[in-house]
Amino acid sequence: MTKHQWVAVFLSVALAGCASPQAISRMTSYPSTVTPVKMADDTYRVFEKPEERSIMTTPSIAAAAAMGAARGATLGLANVMTPEQRHEAAAQQYLAQTGRPNCKITKGYLLAEPQYEFHYECPTS
């Protein structure tokens, strides 16, 4: 996704009132380099800030669009979000596929639908 596409996504989230200014700031602080992580349910897009040992996950563009359409069709009543556990599994898989299988996710939280942020620790020895 290009920087202009990211700006459009974040502005849409902000205008929809789904994200706080802090969450938007946090999301936009990630580098634009995306790594796809194929899981059984979707191919997640993963962004990392290694200096902070943090990872941001988001579903594929197609999955995110489908969630938005389903949410709109149900006037926001349907819970169409991918569960946090699936995002966490994608973050853990990302660590494994980037040569850090012994690193572990220590905490995670929803930044703004449908993006999660996770922090990780790696063994020192």
Side-chain angles (χ1 to χ4, degrees):
M1 189 182 273
T2 68
K3 186 164 187 132
H4 295 294
Q5 289 170 318
W6 272 112
V7 170
V9 168
F10 293 127
L11 286 176
S12 297
V13 170
L15 292 173
C18 298
S20 69
Q22 296 84 2
I24 293 169
S25 175
R26 187 73 185 150
M27 289 184 292
T28 58
S29 72
Y30 275 86
S32 61
T33 304
V34 62
T35 301
V37 174
K38 186 160 179 53
M39 301 296 284
D41 64 319
D42 193 10
T43 298
Y44 291 80
R45 295 174 293 148
V46 179
F47 305 83
E48 182 180 16
K49 291 172 80 172
E51 69 280 2
E52 294 182 13
R53 292 187 303 256
S54 64
I55 296 170
M56 182 175 69
T57 63
T58 186
S60 65
I61 293 172
M67 286 178 215
R71 186 176 193 130
T74 63
L75 303 175
L77 299 176
N79 181 5
V80 295
M81 284 279 296
T82 304
E84 181 177 347
Q85 295 81 4
R86 290 186 188 167
H87 282 266
E88 183 173 342
Q92 190 67 55
Q93 176 63 30
Y94 168 80
L95 290 170
Q97 80 182 36
T98 56
R100 299 171 282 174
N102 295 325
C103 296
K104 299 293 179 213
I105 303 297
T106 58
K107 65 180 176 177
Y109 49 88
L110 181 67
L111 279 173
E113 293 181 3
Q115 292 146 329
Y116 284 87
E117 183 172 57
F118 298 95
H119 295 270
Y120 62 90
E121 291 181 358
C122 299
T124 56
S125 53

